[in-house]
Amino acid sequence: MPLMRIDVIKGHDEAYLKTMLDIAYEVQVDKFATPEGDRYQLLTQHEPFEMQILDTGLGIKRTRDVVFFNLVTRPRSTRDKLDFYKTLVDRLNKELGIRKEDVVFSLVPNNDDDWSFGNGEAQFLNGKL
């Protein structure tokens, strides 16, 4: 049950952004074995000055196509995370032309008691999910 927050610089058309969201969801389902319909994505578009995404000293040059993925998710294995990163970057590059250098990830683990999907209940804990 990842919550996927995606930040981009304004200027991309709706079809491009929808494709990005679809690709990210498909990779999530495949690499994290989440069920179909487990889709929680929030896309935020920013003015260029609002996204300061540097390279942590790695010598990576960013462009206006930089995209930042922040996922709040159940704990995942290192192998699953690495597969997720690589597959998503490869698909974004191939299908949307996004440079691999322009894709940044941050995953934040959480647990079943950290979720309520409505009604003030913890559905992972009460057996509804």
Side-chain angles (χ1 to χ4, degrees), residues 10-19 45:
K10 288 180 182 177
H12 301 290
D13 65 36
E14 185 176 330
Y16 175 97
L17 295 171
K18 283 184 175 181
T19 299
Q45 299 181 65

Side-chain angles (χ1 to χ4, degrees), residues 38-71:
D38 189 3
R39 187 172 185 169
Y40 294 85
Q41 296 174 312
L42 302 172
L43 174 68
T44 304
Q45 299 181 65
H46 301 271
E47 296 295 335
F49 74 91
E50 294 176 322
M51 285 188 64
Q52 299 297 314
I53 310 296
L54 299 181
D55 67 353
T56 315
L58 297 172
I60 298 171
K61 302 294 182 207
R62 309 280 187 214
T63 71
R64 291 180 61 92
D65 289 334
V66 67
V67 56
F68 192 99
F69 288 90
N70 177 244
L71 280 72

Side-chain angles (χ1 to χ4, degrees), residues 1-114:
M1 164 57 234
L3 167 61
M4 189 179 297
R5 294 180 182 272
I6 304 161
D7 294 276
V8 298
I9 293 174
K10 288 180 182 177
H12 301 290
D13 65 36
E14 185 176 330
Y16 175 97
L17 295 171
K18 283 184 175 181
T19 299
M20 179 187 301
L21 293 171
D22 289 344
I23 291 169
Y25 172 65
E26 291 164 10
V27 173
Q28 167 200 304
V29 169
D30 180 45
K31 299 303 175 185
F32 289 162
T34 59
E36 293 288 334
D38 189 3
R39 187 172 185 169
Y40 294 85
Q41 296 174 312
L42 302 172
L43 174 68
T44 304
Q45 299 181 65
H46 301 271
E47 296 295 335
F49 74 91
E50 294 176 322
M51 285 188 64
Q52 299 297 314
I53 310 296
L54 299 181
D55 67 353
T56 315
L58 297 172
I60 298 171
K61 302 294 182 207
R62 309 280 187 214
T63 71
R64 291 180 61 92
D65 289 334
V66 67
V67 56
F68 192 99
F69 288 90
N70 177 244
L71 280 72
V72 177
T73 182
R74 288 176 162 170
R76 307 285 175 183
S77 72
T78 298
R79 171 58 35 215
D80 287 348
K81 292 176 191 178
L82 295 174
D83 287 347
F84 175 79
Y85 301 152
K86 180 168 181 8
T87 302
L88 184 48
V89 165
D90 287 347
R91 285 199 56 196
L92 292 172
N93 178 257
K94 181 179 179 184
E95 297 175 42
L96 290 174
I98 298 172
R99 296 170 57 247
K100 294 179 180 186
E101 300 90 342
D102 277 333
V103 184
V104 182
F105 296 95
S106 176
L107 274 63
V108 180
N110 70 355
N111 299 301
D112 289 350
D113 59 352
D114 295 317

